[in-house]
Amino acid sequence: MSVSTPTTVPDPNDPETLHVAVAAIVNDAQQVLLARRPGHVHQGGLWEFPGGKCEPGEPVEAALEREIQEELGIHIGVRRPLIRVPHRYEDRSVLLDVWRVESFEGRPHGREGQPVEWVPVDELGERDFPAANLPIIRALQLPAACLITPAPGEDREAFLAQLQCRLDEGIRLVQLRARGLDEISYRSLAEQVVERCHHSGARVLLNADASLAVPLGADGIQLSSQRLQQAGGRDLPDNLLLGASCHTAEELRHAHAIRADFALLSPVKPTATHPDAPALGWEMFASLVESCAMPVYALGGMAPADLDEAIAHGAQGIAAIRALWES
C-alpha cells in the first residue's frame, strides 16, 4: 500500500478544511466496498472509501446518505461512527467523517462510471489509497475491545487458562503486560501467549522493548507513556502494530509523529488502581480525539457496557484490564 505520512494535522474546525462524509461499507463476509477515483481528479487513480463533501449546513449523516445514493445507487441502513480523520495534503486540508455501514438496500454499482470492488478487510493494505485513508484501514482492521492482561502471578497455567477463556469469548487484541518478570520468564510467557492468541485468530502486542516483537512472533508493541516520550521515531516494521499509551494532547501528537497505528487514552473514568489521577471524562476525551488522526481506545474505568458511549465520543472502542479479564 503506497501512502505518505502528513507533516501536520489540520484543525478540523477550520472553515477552510473540506468536510467529507465517508462510508466504510462492510458486508457479512467482512469485505469492504472500494471505489477507484477518476484519473483527472485530486488523488486520481487511487482506491478510496466512497463518499463526498458535506454541503454548508448539511448534517453529516444526511450528506452520507445523499452521496452514497448518488455514487452507488443504494440506501444505507445500520451505521455507526468509525473514525474522524483530519489530514493536510500539500494543496488542501480535509476532515474525513467516516461511518461504518453494516446494512443497505439495493445493489452497489458505480453510477458515475467508477469501478467498485468488494475487498476483504485484511487485504486492504494491498491497495493504493490516498494518505488520509490509512487511519480508516487501521480502524477497520482493529477490534472494538483491547484486553490488557493483569500481572500473571505465580500460577502461569491459571493465567493462560483465563486468557484462553477470553479468547474463546471473542477477544481479538491482547496487550501482554508483565512488568515484574525477568527477561527469561517474560520470553517464556510471551511465547505461550503469542501461540494461544494466534491459534484463536487474535493479535498480541508486547508491553516491552520493540526489539522483542519479531523474535517472539508478536504482532506489535505497546509503548508505555514513558517509552513513548523517549521514542524518536517508529522503531518497528510497518507490518507490525505500534500502539501508544497517552494521557494528554501532547502525547497524542507525539504518537502520531512517530507513526503509531493507534493509541490508548486514559483515564476516562476514575480507576481503582489510580484513584487520585484526575479523570478526563467523556467530553474531554472526545475533544482530544477530534484532532487525532488515528484510532484511539478509551481506557480507565471501562467495562463492556461503556462501548457504545465510547464509540459515540469518537473512540475505536474500549481497553481494559479487570473488566475484560474477569468478564
Side-chain angles (χ1 to χ4, degrees):
M1 176 173 58
S2 176
V3 296
S4 61
T5 302
T7 55
T8 56
V9 175
D11 180 356
N13 298 312
D14 186 339
E16 298 299 317
T17 297
L18 185 66
H19 191 184
V20 182
V22 179
I25 304 172
V26 184
N27 65 17
D28 292 339
Q30 292 302 296
Q31 297 171 319
V32 185
L33 189 65
L34 301 181
R36 190 189 289 273
R37 294 180 64 80
H40 66 278
V41 303
H42 181 258
Q43 300 289 309
L46 301 179
W47 290 94
E48 67 174 354
F49 301 94
K53 68 178 182 179
C54 301
E55 299 297 338
E58 184 180 27
V60 64
E61 288 193 69
L64 187 74
E65 293 174 354
R66 174 180 54 77
E67 288 287 344
I68 296 307
Q69 203 284 324
E70 291 175 357
E71 289 188 23
L72 301 174
I74 61 174
H75 295 281
I76 60 176
V78 177
R79 87 292 298 268
R80 67 168 176 83
L82 180 64
I83 189 172
R84 300 178 89 223
V85 183
H87 187 96
R88 179 171 293 152
Y89 293 103
E90 291 184 1
D91 56 344
R92 69 181 62 181
S93 295
V94 298
L95 172 62
L96 304 184
D97 206 321
V98 189
W99 293 68
R100 181 182 176 110
V101 176
E102 298 181 338
S103 70
F104 57 86
E105 295 180 359
R107 184 182 64 83
H109 59 285
R111 296 188 66 187
E112 299 168 348
Q114 75 276 31
V116 297
E117 187 175 336
W118 289 102
V119 178
V121 170
D122 58 3
E123 295 179 12
L124 291 173
E126 300 174 10
R127 302 300 177 100
D128 290 335
F129 290 86
N133 283 208
L134 181 56
I136 305 175
I137 296 170
R138 287 297 187 212
L140 285 167
Q141 293 177 335
L142 287 169
C146 174
L147 166 64
I148 304 170
T149 64
E154 296 296 328
D155 191 342
R156 300 296 164 77
E157 290 304 317
F159 175 87
L160 292 171
Q162 185 73 351
L163 172 63
Q164 189 61 57
C165 287
R166 303 288 78 80
L167 295 171
D168 291 344
E169 291 176 354
I171 287 292
R172 290 298 175 262
L173 183 62
V174 174
Q175 178 195 147
L176 176 60
R177 196 164 175 263
R179 295 176 178 173
L181 299 183
D182 59 57
E183 183 176 349
I184 294 176
S185 298
Y186 184 87
R187 284 175 173 268
S188 175
L189 179 63
E191 288 172 351
Q192 296 176 79
V193 168
V194 167
E195 181 181 5
R196 286 176 180 259
C197 287
H198 288 178
H199 185 265
S200 298
R203 287 181 284 184
V204 57
L205 308 180
L206 305 181
N207 194 312
D209 190 86
S211 63
L212 294 177
V214 173
L216 293 179
D219 299 283
I221 292 292
Q222 180 71 34
L223 295 176
S224 65
S225 57
Q226 181 179 2
R227 281 197 173 97
L228 172 63
Q229 293 170 14
Q230 297 169 348
R234 182 187 174 101
D235 189 21
L236 200 68
D238 285 343
N239 65 319
L240 297 182
L241 288 172
L242 180 61
S245 299
C246 301
H247 308 287
T248 66
E250 181 180 3
E251 289 178 346
L252 286 171
R253 285 192 293 268
H254 186 55
H256 180 264
I258 67 169
R259 298 196 299 121
D261 295 302
F262 69 93
L264 309 183
L265 181 58
S266 68
V268 179
K269 295 181 178 182
T271 66
T273 53
H274 298 87
D276 298 328
L280 294 171
W282 284 120
E283 295 308 315
M284 178 59 73
F285 177 90
S287 176
L288 292 174
V289 170
E290 184 178 32
S291 300
C292 186
M294 73 178 83
V296 179
Y297 287 92
L299 173 64
M302 293 294 99
D306 294 302
L307 180 58
D308 289 344
E309 186 85 4
I311 290 173
H313 284 87
Q316 170 73 19
I318 62 166
I321 303 176
R322 183 180 304 171
L324 293 178
W325 184 255
E326 298 177 355
S327 63

